[in-house]
Amino acid sequence: MLYSERAGKLTAAAAGTGGALELLIYLGSGFAGLALLALFFGLGTAASSWRVADKRRLGLAEENRGRRTAGQVVANAGVAGLLGLLAWQYPPAAPLAQLMLAGSLAAATADTLSSELGNVYGRRYYNILTLRPDTRGLNGVVSLEGTALGLAGTAVIATAYCLGFGWGAAFGWLLVAGTAGNLVDSVLGATLERRGLLSNNAVNFINTLTGALVAGGLMKWLG
């Protein structure tokens, strides 16, 4: 918390909010859950900082110089924190809640990497709804390269989850969950966010919620 605030990665409020969410995640999933959160934060921070001069030149860099606010922390890790609380307070639900927690962070990672790195390495950009060429950086605009990088980020989270909780079908479930959340994020961006009906934080929260629900649904359906 102190490092992130002093390094300019988080505002003071965001650092405090993040610390509270980290505690809930730890209480519900231990150090393995904290590792998932650390991976998301580390990958997201690195992606946001990567070739930032080029992003600023193109008008694609994050506002506030990439310094995360409390609202952004809740949007990306709030679902994980609530699932940590559920696993802590109701142990019989812990295995399901822990997988859903990983699904939410997989979706958050996929969205961050696909947007931050896709804007750098993408060659052609398309509207997620019409699949017609669209302007790089607009809400709901995707690229093949960005989507692939988002999937790679999801695979990192899935690998970390399996290292902590055991290998099995959960690896594939998390790949699906992260990708589903990322696609929902793009669809909402192309529709409600473009029209000003949803904020970016709201879209990101729904993204992580989608990842959690898909992961949990696959476990209940196929597990």
Side-chain angles (χ1 to χ4, degrees), residues 192-218:
L192 300 181
E193 189 176 0
R194 279 201 188 190
R195 298 172 186 170
L197 299 176
L198 280 180
S199 67
N200 182 252
N201 284 348
V203 170
N204 286 339
F205 187 86
I206 295 172
N207 163 34
T208 59
L209 181 61
T210 299
L213 292 175
V214 170
L218 288 172

Side-chain angles (χ1 to χ4, degrees), residues 161-209:
Y161 172 86
C162 290
L163 287 173
F165 296 97
W167 289 92
F171 183 87
W173 298 342
L174 289 173
L175 291 183
V176 174
T179 302
N182 195 18
L183 291 175
V184 166
D185 185 285
S186 296
V187 170
L188 291 175
T191 54
L192 300 181
E193 189 176 0
R194 279 201 188 190
R195 298 172 186 170
L197 299 176
L198 280 180
S199 67
N200 182 252
N201 284 348
V203 170
N204 286 339
F205 187 86
I206 295 172
N207 163 34
T208 59
L209 181 61

